[in-house]
């Protein structure tokens, strides 16, 4: 559980955000949406504790499972070993992974559907696979809060689907507070319970996705009109929600 | 999910044999290199005799050698061989650990400014007419001072980033290299200048048991520390932000590595001068054989580095009548080997 109270960050004379109250309880998933340069990354870094707050309070566990936007590390360890580093990290300087750590790593890999890759070299995986492995590593830390930085933005449609399905299953398990930034409102609609829309330093909208990921709110956020379309799926519990940006219509009231 | 998961493309780790086998092989290599080195020199002693002389220190071996042979092996060559082995192991382990935590294959102990700093300290001591303990102490102090300067330059807003550390290391290294040149410029061309130049090029010729006793504790702390921290290298190699979020205090851990590296490098430079290339090339060679997992790579680099430097030192004192400076040999051997390794691993990485 991670909480920001009256939080604000200022760079020079410019407030990135201010008077922000944010509460991320275990069992819920929060999407953070905003145009480029509106402070998504700064907010994420504040949540992680990397960015000191200019004012306000941060209350967070000492261990958070952070998944970066890209897995840029070119390391030739096995996937299982990469995941095991998440287990060993907080256990002290001289800690070596035990057989138990390796089992826990396999469990975490199973949760993201990558258990068959445990013996593969990490640097030879595709971008989507690496992202899932890093998510498994974050899970393996045992952290109750997972923070994902635009986790699926760089992935193709199939891999977006895989990643979102994993996030959705984690949400249903209810063991984690999940926070993620995204450029794609549809991802928020698919796997978030709540959404935070960053309009400006003190202008924002926070609430359940049904109330926040709406045509009006998203159009106002990005400055281009959108249509929200629900597709009923045979046998599906709830319709699949599509958020369609109307490219070329920026500024119009379509 | 996952029944349609992207199928594995035959990407599993290449069968490299187990790490223990490689470590045993490198350990054997180190022992053989040391025994051969003990036997070679102006007085050539056969290998079984060398083994018996060394062995009788611990085991009841019947004496079948001359007093001269025993004195040459135990008093003259043994400290030199041990110092070369320790130095090679220390430098190579420092290189392996630094390359891991910086995620940069070009990093070596020299990059943090430690070697140039220590070189300046040693040259200053020689210029002022000191040798022995003062030389060792001075080069060690300036090596650590260079590292601390690097840390102060690189620490911006309470955080030290990898790139700023490397750049600060280059800055400080360049500064101390210039100061060394200045010392050489003002040194007496008949006495202190050749001493400085000779010392800078690296040699174990002055190794004795007392000098070994001075340097060995610092090198051993580095070697043992890096050995126990080997999995920490894996943790740190996977990104600072992730490690930080997982509860690792990245800055503190990195400084622990730096201090161990400074101890080891400073001690080696202080007794043997600046020995380049070992910390850069040996980890690459070891990585090619044992893979990238630092749990194996760090000790493997140590054993291989020890064997390498003992061999190079043996060549340096037996190939010609006069001793060839170590840095000259490590570079002459290291540069082409590094070029071959570079092409080999680049081709392998990009051929998939």
């Amino acid at each position: 559980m991670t909480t920001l109270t009256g939080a604000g960050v200022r760079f020079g004379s410019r407030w990135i955000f201010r008077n922000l109250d944010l509460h991320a309880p275990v069992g819920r998933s929060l999407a953070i949406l905003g145009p480029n340069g509106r402070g998504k990354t700064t907010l994420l870094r504040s949540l992680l504790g990397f960015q000191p707050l200019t004012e306000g309070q941060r209350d967070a566990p000492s261990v958070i499972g952070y998944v970066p936007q890209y897995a840029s590390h070119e390391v030739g360890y096995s996937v299982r070993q990469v995941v095991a580093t998440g287990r060993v990290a907080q256990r002290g300087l001289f800690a070596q992974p035990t057989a138990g750590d390796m089992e826990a790593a396999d469990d975490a890999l199973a949760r993201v559907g990558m258990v068959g890759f445990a013996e593969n070299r990490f640097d030879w995986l595709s971008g989507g696979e690496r992202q899932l492995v890093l998510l498994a590593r974050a899970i393996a830390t045992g952290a109750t809060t997972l923070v994902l930085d635009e986790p699926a933005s760089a992935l193709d449609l199939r891999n977006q689907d895989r990643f979102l399905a994993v996030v959705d299953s984690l949400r249903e398990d209810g063991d984690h507070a999940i926070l993620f930034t995204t450029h794609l409102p549809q991802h928020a609609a698919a796997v978030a319970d709540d959404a935070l829309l960053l309009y400006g330093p003190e202008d924002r909208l926070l609430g359940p996705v049904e109330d926040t990921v709406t045509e009006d709110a998203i159009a106002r956020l990005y400055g281009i009109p959108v249509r929200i379309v629900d597709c009923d799926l045979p046998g599906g519990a709830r319709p699949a929600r599509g958020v369609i940006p109307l490219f070329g219509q920026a500024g119009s009231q379509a | 999910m996952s029944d349609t998961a992207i199928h594995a493309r035959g990407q599993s780790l290449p069968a490299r044999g187990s790490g223990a086998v490689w470590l045993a092989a490198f350990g054997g290599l180190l022992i053989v290199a040391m025994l051969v080195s003990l036997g070679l020199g102006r007085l050539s002693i056969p290998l079984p005799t060398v083994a018996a002389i060394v062995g009788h220190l611990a085991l009841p071996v019947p004496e079948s050698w001359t007093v001269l042979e025993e004195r040459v092996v135990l008093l003259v060559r043994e400290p030199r061989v041990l110092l070369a082995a320790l130095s090679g192991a220390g430098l190579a382990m420092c290189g392996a650990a630094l390359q891991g935590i910086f995620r940069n294959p070009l990093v070596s102990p020299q990059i943090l400014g430690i070697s140039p700093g220590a070189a300046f300290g040693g040259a200053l001591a020689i210029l002022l007419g000191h040798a022995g303990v003062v030389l060792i102490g001075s080069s060690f102090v300036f090596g650590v001072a260079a590292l601390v300067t690097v840390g102060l330059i690189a620490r911006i807003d309470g955080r030290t980033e990898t790139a700023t550390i490397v750049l600060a290391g280059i800055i400080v290294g360049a500064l101390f290299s210039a100061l060394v040149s200045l010392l050489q410029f003002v040194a007496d061309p008949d006495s202190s200048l050749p001493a400085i130049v000779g010392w800078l090029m690296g040699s174990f010729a002055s190794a004795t048991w007392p000098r070994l006793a001075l340097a060995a504790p610092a090198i051993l702390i580095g070697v043992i520390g890096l050995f126990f921290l080997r999995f920490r290298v894996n943790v740190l190699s996977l990104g600072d932000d992730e490690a930080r979020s997982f509860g690792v205090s990245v800055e503190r851990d990195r400084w622990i590595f730096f201090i161990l590296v400074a101890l080891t490098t400073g001690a080696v430079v202080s007794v043997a001068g600046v020995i380049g290339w070992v910390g850069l090339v040996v980890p690459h060679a070891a990585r090619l054989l044992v893979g990238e997992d630092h749990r194996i790579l760090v000790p493997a680099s140590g054993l291989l580095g020890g064997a390498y430097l003992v061999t190079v030192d043996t060549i340096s004192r037996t190939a010609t009548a006069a001793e060839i400076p170590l840095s000259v040999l490590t570079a002459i051997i290291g540069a082409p080997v590094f070029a071959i390794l570079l092409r080999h691993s680049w081709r392998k990485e990009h051929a998939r």
Side-chain angles (χ1 to χ4, degrees), chain A residues 50 64 66 68 73 76-77 81 89 92 117 119 121 124 129 137 158 166, chain B residues 1 4 6 11 13 232 234 237-238 241-242 245-246 292-295 352:
Chain A
F50 301 163
I64 292 178
Y66 169 57
H73 340 297
Y77 317 142
Q81 281 232 37
F117 289 76
E119 292 295 329
R121 268 182 71 145
W124 291 1
E129 291 160 353
R137 184 162 86 116
R158 177 73 188 92
V166 170
Chain B
M1 59 175 298
T4 54
I6 297 168
Q11 300 173 324
L13 287 166
R232 206 61 174 182
N234 281 8
S237 70
L238 283 161
D241 280 349
E242 292 96 306
S245 80
F246 296 167
E292 292 188 27
D293 181 357
H294 292 92
R295 283 183 302 169
R352 56 175 205 265

mmCIF file of all heavy atoms in Angstrom, chain A residues 50 64 66 68 73 76-77 81 89 92 117 119 121 124 129 137 158 166, chain B residues 1 4 6 11 13 232 234 237-238 241-242 245-246 292-295 352:
data_model
loop_
_atom_site.group_PDB
_atom_site.id
_atom_site.type_symbol
_atom_site.label_atom_id
_atom_site.label_comp_id
_atom_site.label_asym_id
_atom_site.label_seq_id
_atom_site.Cartn_x
_atom_site.Cartn_y
_atom_site.Cartn_z
ATOM 1 N N PHE A 50 12.253 7.718 -5.581
ATOM 2 C CA PHE A 50 13.485 8.169 -6.232
ATOM 3 C C PHE A 50 13.518 9.688 -6.299
ATOM 4 O O PHE A 50 14.574 10.305 -6.325
ATOM 5 C CB PHE A 50 13.604 7.638 -7.659
ATOM 6 C CG PHE A 50 13.603 6.147 -7.768
ATOM 7 C CD1 PHE A 50 13.360 5.531 -8.987
ATOM 8 C CD2 PHE A 50 13.855 5.352 -6.662
ATOM 9 C CE1 PHE A 50 13.366 4.162 -9.104
ATOM 10 C CE2 PHE A 50 13.863 3.970 -6.772
ATOM 11 C CZ PHE A 50 13.607 3.382 -7.995
ATOM 12 N N ILE A 64 9.414 -2.236 -3.235
ATOM 13 C CA ILE A 64 8.382 -2.064 -4.250
ATOM 14 C C ILE A 64 8.848 -2.794 -5.495
ATOM 15 O O ILE A 64 10.034 -2.778 -5.832
ATOM 16 C CB ILE A 64 8.154 -0.565 -4.555
ATOM 17 C CG1 ILE A 64 7.538 0.135 -3.347
ATOM 18 C CG2 ILE A 64 7.273 -0.393 -5.779
ATOM 19 C CD1 ILE A 64 7.330 1.623 -3.550
ATOM 20 N N TYR A 66 9.313 -2.735 -9.038
ATOM 21 C CA TYR A 66 9.303 -1.763 -10.128
ATOM 22 C C TYR A 66 9.674 -2.443 -11.434
ATOM 23 O O TYR A 66 10.651 -3.187 -11.513
ATOM 24 C CB TYR A 66 10.297 -0.639 -9.803
ATOM 25 C CG TYR A 66 10.604 0.297 -10.929
ATOM 26 C CD1 TYR A 66 9.581 0.998 -11.570
ATOM 27 C CD2 TYR A 66 11.903 0.503 -11.349
ATOM 28 C CE1 TYR A 66 9.860 1.874 -12.598
ATOM 29 C CE2 TYR A 66 12.198 1.384 -12.378
ATOM 30 C CZ TYR A 66 11.175 2.060 -13.007
ATOM 31 O OH TYR A 66 11.473 2.925 -14.026
ATOM 32 N N PRO A 68 10.639 -1.399 -15.275
ATOM 33 C CA PRO A 68 10.933 -0.243 -16.131
ATOM 34 C C PRO A 68 10.274 -0.384 -17.491
ATOM 35 O O PRO A 68 9.769 -1.447 -17.859
ATOM 36 C CB PRO A 68 12.446 -0.276 -16.241
ATOM 37 C CG PRO A 68 12.784 -1.711 -16.101
ATOM 38 C CD PRO A 68 11.774 -2.307 -15.164
ATOM 39 N N HIS A 73 18.897 -3.967 -20.204
ATOM 40 C CA HIS A 73 20.117 -4.655 -19.762
ATOM 41 C C HIS A 73 20.417 -5.836 -20.651
ATOM 42 O O HIS A 73 19.599 -6.709 -20.844
ATOM 43 C CB HIS A 73 19.954 -5.142 -18.328
ATOM 44 C CG HIS A 73 18.883 -4.422 -17.592
ATOM 45 N ND1 HIS A 73 18.950 -3.087 -17.352
ATOM 46 C CD2 HIS A 73 17.719 -4.848 -17.103
ATOM 47 C CE1 HIS A 73 17.868 -2.716 -16.711
ATOM 48 N NE2 HIS A 73 17.092 -3.756 -16.561
ATOM 49 N N GLY A 76 23.642 -11.846 -19.955
ATOM 50 C CA GLY A 76 23.477 -13.203 -20.445
ATOM 51 C C GLY A 76 23.182 -14.213 -19.356
ATOM 52 O O GLY A 76 23.510 -15.375 -19.502
ATOM 53 N N TYR A 77 22.559 -13.777 -18.252
ATOM 54 C CA TYR A 77 22.178 -14.741 -17.220
ATOM 55 C C TYR A 77 20.947 -15.491 -17.696
ATOM 56 O O TYR A 77 20.236 -15.041 -18.579
ATOM 57 C CB TYR A 77 21.820 -14.061 -15.894
ATOM 58 C CG TYR A 77 22.721 -12.946 -15.452
ATOM 59 C CD1 TYR A 77 22.193 -11.827 -14.837
ATOM 60 C CD2 TYR A 77 24.088 -13.026 -15.640
ATOM 61 C CE1 TYR A 77 23.001 -10.798 -14.416
ATOM 62 C CE2 TYR A 77 24.905 -11.999 -15.226
ATOM 63 C CZ TYR A 77 24.364 -10.883 -14.614
ATOM 64 O OH TYR A 77 25.160 -9.868 -14.210
ATOM 65 N N GLN A 81 17.689 -16.872 -13.146
ATOM 66 C CA GLN A 81 18.628 -16.085 -12.326
ATOM 67 C C GLN A 81 18.222 -14.635 -12.240
ATOM 68 O O GLN A 81 18.362 -14.002 -11.199
ATOM 69 C CB GLN A 81 19.996 -16.128 -12.977
ATOM 70 C CG GLN A 81 20.697 -17.373 -12.696
ATOM 71 C CD GLN A 81 22.053 -17.013 -12.168
ATOM 72 O OE1 GLN A 81 22.215 -16.045 -11.438
ATOM 73 N NE2 GLN A 81 23.011 -17.797 -12.541
ATOM 74 N N ALA A 89 17.739 -9.531 -3.490
ATOM 75 C CA ALA A 89 18.146 -8.129 -3.378
ATOM 76 C C ALA A 89 18.108 -7.605 -1.957
ATOM 77 O O ALA A 89 19.065 -6.996 -1.487
ATOM 78 C CB ALA A 89 17.259 -7.269 -4.282
ATOM 79 N N GLY A 92 20.614 -8.743 1.920
ATOM 80 C CA GLY A 92 21.954 -8.453 2.419
ATOM 81 C C GLY A 92 23.017 -8.639 1.371
ATOM 82 O O GLY A 92 22.837 -9.330 0.377
ATOM 83 N N PHE A 117 10.661 -20.646 -20.056
ATOM 84 C CA PHE A 117 11.841 -19.897 -20.498
ATOM 85 C C PHE A 117 12.922 -19.817 -19.421
ATOM 86 O O PHE A 117 13.911 -19.113 -19.592
ATOM 87 C CB PHE A 117 11.440 -18.469 -20.884
ATOM 88 C CG PHE A 117 10.642 -18.385 -22.155
ATOM 89 C CD1 PHE A 117 9.310 -18.747 -22.172
ATOM 90 C CD2 PHE A 117 11.224 -17.952 -23.330
ATOM 91 C CE1 PHE A 117 8.576 -18.673 -23.338
ATOM 92 C CE2 PHE A 117 10.494 -17.871 -24.500
ATOM 93 C CZ PHE A 117 9.159 -18.236 -24.507
ATOM 94 N N GLU A 119 15.382 -21.450 -18.390
ATOM 95 C CA GLU A 119 16.787 -21.735 -18.687
ATOM 96 C C GLU A 119 17.319 -20.894 -19.847
ATOM 97 O O GLU A 119 18.486 -20.999 -20.205
ATOM 98 C CB GLU A 119 16.962 -23.213 -19.043
ATOM 99 C CG GLU A 119 16.739 -24.164 -17.877
ATOM 100 C CD GLU A 119 17.784 -23.978 -16.793
ATOM 101 O OE1 GLU A 119 18.927 -23.605 -17.117
ATOM 102 O OE2 GLU A 119 17.442 -24.177 -15.610
ATOM 103 N N ARG A 121 18.574 -17.621 -22.076
ATOM 104 C CA ARG A 121 19.359 -16.420 -21.803
ATOM 105 C C ARG A 121 18.456 -15.210 -21.876
ATOM 106 O O ARG A 121 17.750 -14.999 -22.863
ATOM 107 C CB ARG A 121 20.469 -16.279 -22.834
ATOM 108 C CG ARG A 121 21.764 -16.916 -22.428
ATOM 109 C CD ARG A 121 22.813 -16.673 -23.488
ATOM 110 N NE ARG A 121 23.239 -15.269 -23.500
ATOM 111 C CZ ARG A 121 24.484 -14.891 -23.763
ATOM 112 N NH1 ARG A 121 25.394 -15.794 -24.028
ATOM 113 N NH2 ARG A 121 24.815 -13.625 -23.776
ATOM 114 N N TRP A 124 18.614 -12.821 -24.910
ATOM 115 C CA TRP A 124 18.186 -13.331 -26.205
ATOM 116 C C TRP A 124 16.665 -13.377 -26.328
ATOM 117 O O TRP A 124 16.138 -13.858 -27.319
ATOM 118 C CB TRP A 124 18.778 -14.738 -26.462
ATOM 119 C CG TRP A 124 20.269 -14.711 -26.663
ATOM 120 C CD1 TRP A 124 21.076 -13.607 -26.616
ATOM 121 C CD2 TRP A 124 21.135 -15.813 -26.935
ATOM 122 N NE1 TRP A 124 22.379 -13.953 -26.829
ATOM 123 C CE2 TRP A 124 22.458 -15.291 -27.026
ATOM 124 C CE3 TRP A 124 20.925 -17.189 -27.112
ATOM 125 C CZ2 TRP A 124 23.560 -16.114 -27.293
ATOM 126 C CZ3 TRP A 124 22.025 -18.005 -27.372
ATOM 127 C CH2 TRP A 124 23.324 -17.463 -27.462
ATOM 128 N N GLU A 129 8.900 -10.570 -24.105
ATOM 129 C CA GLU A 129 9.263 -11.617 -23.143
ATOM 130 C C GLU A 129 10.078 -11.044 -21.990
ATOM 131 O O GLU A 129 9.875 -11.393 -20.829
ATOM 132 C CB GLU A 129 10.054 -12.720 -23.861
ATOM 133 C CG GLU A 129 9.212 -13.521 -24.839
ATOM 134 C CD GLU A 129 10.046 -14.255 -25.892
ATOM 135 O OE1 GLU A 129 11.276 -14.036 -25.957
ATOM 136 O OE2 GLU A 129 9.458 -15.032 -26.650
ATOM 137 N N ARG A 137 10.164 -10.814 -11.937
ATOM 138 C CA ARG A 137 11.185 -10.450 -10.963
ATOM 139 C C ARG A 137 10.595 -9.536 -9.897
ATOM 140 O O ARG A 137 10.886 -9.679 -8.704
ATOM 141 C CB ARG A 137 12.343 -9.748 -11.672
ATOM 142 C CG ARG A 137 13.492 -9.424 -10.780
ATOM 143 C CD ARG A 137 14.733 -9.149 -11.576
ATOM 144 N NE ARG A 137 14.825 -7.775 -12.003
ATOM 145 C CZ ARG A 137 15.799 -6.947 -11.597
ATOM 146 N NH1 ARG A 137 16.710 -7.376 -10.762
ATOM 147 N NH2 ARG A 137 15.835 -5.736 -12.037
ATOM 148 N N ARG A 158 -0.152 -8.515 -29.915
ATOM 149 C CA ARG A 158 -0.214 -9.817 -29.250
ATOM 150 C C ARG A 158 0.473 -9.759 -27.886
ATOM 151 O O ARG A 158 -0.033 -10.282 -26.901
ATOM 152 C CB ARG A 158 0.452 -10.873 -30.140
ATOM 153 C CG ARG A 158 0.524 -12.262 -29.535
ATOM 154 C CD ARG A 158 -0.857 -12.928 -29.514
ATOM 155 N NE ARG A 158 -0.815 -14.184 -28.758
ATOM 156 C CZ ARG A 158 -1.080 -14.279 -27.463
ATOM 157 N NH1 ARG A 158 -1.392 -13.189 -26.784
ATOM 158 N NH2 ARG A 158 -1.054 -15.447 -26.857
ATOM 159 N N VAL A 166 -1.705 -10.761 -17.939
ATOM 160 C CA VAL A 166 -0.987 -11.053 -16.698
ATOM 161 C C VAL A 166 -1.345 -10.022 -15.625
ATOM 162 O O VAL A 166 -1.634 -10.369 -14.474
ATOM 163 C CB VAL A 166 0.536 -11.070 -16.946
ATOM 164 C CG1 VAL A 166 1.285 -11.131 -15.622
ATOM 165 C CG2 VAL A 166 0.914 -12.251 -17.819
ATOM 166 N N MET B 1 -3.142 -18.031 -19.420
ATOM 167 C CA MET B 1 -2.550 -17.663 -20.710
ATOM 168 C C MET B 1 -1.480 -18.668 -21.088
ATOM 169 O O MET B 1 -1.437 -19.753 -20.558
ATOM 170 C CB MET B 1 -1.967 -16.261 -20.639
ATOM 171 C CG MET B 1 -0.900 -16.056 -19.612
ATOM 172 S SD MET B 1 -0.252 -14.382 -19.794
ATOM 173 C CE MET B 1 0.405 -14.441 -21.455
ATOM 174 N N THR B 4 -0.433 -20.282 -26.060
ATOM 175 C CA THR B 4 0.047 -19.789 -27.342
ATOM 176 C C THR B 4 1.283 -18.929 -27.168
ATOM 177 O O THR B 4 1.662 -18.189 -28.048
ATOM 178 C CB THR B 4 -1.030 -18.944 -28.045
ATOM 179 O OG1 THR B 4 -1.438 -17.936 -27.129
ATOM 180 C CG2 THR B 4 -2.196 -19.778 -28.465
ATOM 181 N N ILE B 6 4.747 -17.289 -27.106
ATOM 182 C CA ILE B 6 5.753 -17.331 -28.166
ATOM 183 C C ILE B 6 6.710 -18.499 -27.898
ATOM 184 O O ILE B 6 7.258 -18.632 -26.817
ATOM 185 C CB ILE B 6 6.526 -16.008 -28.198
ATOM 186 C CG1 ILE B 6 5.556 -14.898 -28.544
ATOM 187 C CG2 ILE B 6 7.675 -16.077 -29.167
ATOM 188 C CD1 ILE B 6 6.116 -13.524 -28.327
ATOM 189 N N GLN B 11 16.707 -21.096 -27.634
ATOM 190 C CA GLN B 11 17.595 -20.068 -27.105
ATOM 191 C C GLN B 11 18.174 -20.439 -25.764
ATOM 192 O O GLN B 11 18.660 -19.578 -25.063
ATOM 193 C CB GLN B 11 16.820 -18.784 -26.884
ATOM 194 C CG GLN B 11 16.192 -18.234 -28.115
ATOM 195 C CD GLN B 11 15.319 -17.065 -27.771
ATOM 196 O OE1 GLN B 11 14.685 -17.084 -26.727
ATOM 197 N NE2 GLN B 11 15.302 -16.070 -28.598
ATOM 198 N N LEU B 13 20.482 -21.653 -22.713
ATOM 199 C CA LEU B 13 21.886 -21.343 -22.504
ATOM 200 C C LEU B 13 22.754 -22.417 -23.127
ATOM 201 O O LEU B 13 22.477 -23.596 -22.994
ATOM 202 C CB LEU B 13 22.174 -21.273 -21.008
ATOM 203 C CG LEU B 13 21.622 -20.034 -20.329
ATOM 204 C CD1 LEU B 13 21.657 -20.214 -18.825
ATOM 205 C CD2 LEU B 13 22.408 -18.822 -20.733
ATOM 206 N N ARG B 232 25.984 -10.113 -5.628
ATOM 207 C CA ARG B 232 25.571 -8.712 -5.598
ATOM 208 C C ARG B 232 25.848 -8.037 -6.936
ATOM 209 O O ARG B 232 25.135 -7.115 -7.330
ATOM 210 C CB ARG B 232 26.327 -7.994 -4.470
ATOM 211 C CG ARG B 232 25.603 -6.798 -3.915
ATOM 212 C CD ARG B 232 24.296 -7.216 -3.331
ATOM 213 N NE ARG B 232 23.613 -6.134 -2.655
ATOM 214 C CZ ARG B 232 22.448 -6.298 -2.038
ATOM 215 N NH1 ARG B 232 21.860 -7.475 -2.037
ATOM 216 N NH2 ARG B 232 21.864 -5.292 -1.445
ATOM 217 N N ASN B 234 25.500 -9.456 -9.813
ATOM 218 C CA ASN B 234 24.332 -9.784 -10.630
ATOM 219 C C ASN B 234 23.171 -8.856 -10.317
ATOM 220 O O ASN B 234 22.490 -8.357 -11.202
ATOM 221 C CB ASN B 234 23.886 -11.229 -10.374
ATOM 222 C CG ASN B 234 24.744 -12.248 -11.101
ATOM 223 O OD1 ASN B 234 25.760 -11.900 -11.681
ATOM 224 N ND2 ASN B 234 24.329 -13.499 -11.064
ATOM 225 N N SER B 237 23.832 -5.414 -11.627
ATOM 226 C CA SER B 237 23.999 -5.330 -13.076
ATOM 227 C C SER B 237 22.660 -5.180 -13.790
ATOM 228 O O SER B 237 22.624 -4.891 -14.974
ATOM 229 C CB SER B 237 24.712 -6.570 -13.603
ATOM 230 O OG SER B 237 23.866 -7.699 -13.507
ATOM 231 N N LEU B 238 21.554 -5.386 -13.078
ATOM 232 C CA LEU B 238 20.241 -5.365 -13.729
ATOM 233 C C LEU B 238 19.525 -4.044 -13.542
ATOM 234 O O LEU B 238 18.300 -3.999 -13.539
ATOM 235 C CB LEU B 238 19.384 -6.528 -13.210
ATOM 236 C CG LEU B 238 19.783 -7.868 -13.815
ATOM 237 C CD1 LEU B 238 19.275 -9.026 -12.988
ATOM 238 C CD2 LEU B 238 19.238 -7.978 -15.236
ATOM 239 N N ASP B 241 17.654 1.574 -10.851
ATOM 240 C CA ASP B 241 16.320 1.914 -10.353
ATOM 241 C C ASP B 241 15.582 0.694 -9.824
ATOM 242 O O ASP B 241 14.968 0.734 -8.763
ATOM 243 C CB ASP B 241 15.492 2.567 -11.468
ATOM 244 C CG ASP B 241 15.853 4.031 -11.641
ATOM 245 O OD1 ASP B 241 16.569 4.567 -10.770
ATOM 246 O OD2 ASP B 241 15.419 4.634 -12.631
ATOM 247 N N GLU B 242 15.671 -0.411 -10.578
ATOM 248 C CA GLU B 242 14.991 -1.610 -10.113
ATOM 249 C C GLU B 242 15.584 -2.059 -8.780
ATOM 250 O O GLU B 242 14.841 -2.337 -7.831
ATOM 251 C CB GLU B 242 15.130 -2.744 -11.141
ATOM 252 C CG GLU B 242 14.389 -2.482 -12.427
ATOM 253 C CD GLU B 242 15.293 -1.906 -13.485
ATOM 254 O OE1 GLU B 242 15.943 -0.885 -13.198
ATOM 255 O OE2 GLU B 242 15.356 -2.469 -14.585
ATOM 256 N N SER B 245 14.382 0.073 -6.023
ATOM 257 C CA SER B 245 12.988 -0.163 -5.634
ATOM 258 C C SER B 245 12.856 -1.468 -4.863
ATOM 259 O O SER B 245 11.948 -1.623 -4.061
ATOM 260 C CB SER B 245 12.081 -0.179 -6.865
ATOM 261 O OG SER B 245 12.149 -1.433 -7.523
ATOM 262 N N PHE B 246 13.777 -2.403 -5.095
ATOM 263 C CA PHE B 246 13.713 -3.689 -4.384
ATOM 264 C C PHE B 246 14.343 -3.594 -3.003
ATOM 265 O O PHE B 246 14.521 -4.607 -2.337
ATOM 266 C CB PHE B 246 14.436 -4.792 -5.162
ATOM 267 C CG PHE B 246 13.820 -5.108 -6.499
ATOM 268 C CD1 PHE B 246 14.495 -5.875 -7.424
ATOM 269 C CD2 PHE B 246 12.559 -4.635 -6.834
ATOM 270 C CE1 PHE B 246 13.941 -6.166 -8.658
ATOM 271 C CE2 PHE B 246 11.999 -4.927 -8.069
ATOM 272 C CZ PHE B 246 12.689 -5.690 -8.986
ATOM 273 N N GLU B 292 28.253 -15.422 -18.249
ATOM 274 C CA GLU B 292 28.204 -14.103 -17.627
ATOM 275 C C GLU B 292 27.808 -14.110 -16.159
ATOM 276 O O GLU B 292 27.878 -13.078 -15.504
ATOM 277 C CB GLU B 292 27.221 -13.202 -18.388
ATOM 278 C CG GLU B 292 27.716 -12.865 -19.772
ATOM 279 C CD GLU B 292 26.839 -11.826 -20.442
ATOM 280 O OE1 GLU B 292 26.215 -11.017 -19.729
ATOM 281 O OE2 GLU B 292 26.769 -11.841 -21.665
ATOM 282 N N ASP B 293 27.359 -15.249 -15.644
ATOM 283 C CA ASP B 293 26.921 -15.283 -14.252
ATOM 284 C C ASP B 293 28.109 -14.972 -13.338
ATOM 285 O O ASP B 293 29.082 -15.731 -13.290
ATOM 286 C CB ASP B 293 26.351 -16.670 -13.945
ATOM 287 C CG ASP B 293 25.858 -16.767 -12.517
ATOM 288 O OD1 ASP B 293 26.007 -15.784 -11.762
ATOM 289 O OD2 ASP B 293 25.324 -17.835 -12.160
ATOM 290 N N HIS B 294 28.000 -13.869 -12.601
ATOM 291 C CA HIS B 294 29.154 -13.437 -11.807
ATOM 292 C C HIS B 294 29.463 -14.359 -10.640
ATOM 293 O O HIS B 294 30.542 -14.276 -10.076
ATOM 294 C CB HIS B 294 28.944 -12.004 -11.328
ATOM 295 C CG HIS B 294 28.984 -11.025 -12.453
ATOM 296 N ND1 HIS B 294 27.858 -10.634 -13.129
ATOM 297 C CD2 HIS B 294 30.019 -10.403 -13.059
ATOM 298 C CE1 HIS B 294 28.203 -9.791 -14.086
ATOM 299 N NE2 HIS B 294 29.500 -9.632 -14.071
ATOM 300 N N ARG B 295 28.516 -15.224 -10.266
ATOM 301 C CA ARG B 295 28.839 -16.182 -9.207
ATOM 302 C C ARG B 295 29.997 -17.073 -9.632
ATOM 303 O O ARG B 295 30.792 -17.517 -8.825
ATOM 304 C CB ARG B 295 27.618 -17.054 -8.883
ATOM 305 C CG ARG B 295 26.601 -16.317 -8.031
ATOM 306 C CD ARG B 295 25.465 -17.215 -7.685
ATOM 307 N NE ARG B 295 24.831 -17.717 -8.897
ATOM 308 C CZ ARG B 295 23.943 -18.698 -8.916
ATOM 309 N NH1 ARG B 295 23.606 -19.304 -7.790
ATOM 310 N NH2 ARG B 295 23.389 -19.084 -10.039
ATOM 311 N N ARG B 352 22.945 -14.111 -34.330
ATOM 312 C CA ARG B 352 21.755 -14.887 -34.023
ATOM 313 C C ARG B 352 20.516 -14.339 -34.706
ATOM 314 O O ARG B 352 20.537 -13.289 -35.272
ATOM 315 C CB ARG B 352 21.529 -14.933 -32.518
ATOM 316 C CG ARG B 352 21.421 -13.578 -31.860
ATOM 317 C CD ARG B 352 21.083 -13.751 -30.402
ATOM 318 N NE ARG B 352 20.420 -12.560 -29.901
ATOM 319 C CZ ARG B 352 21.079 -11.576 -29.281
ATOM 320 N NH1 ARG B 352 22.371 -11.659 -29.117
ATOM 321 N NH2 ARG B 352 20.414 -10.525 -28.862
#
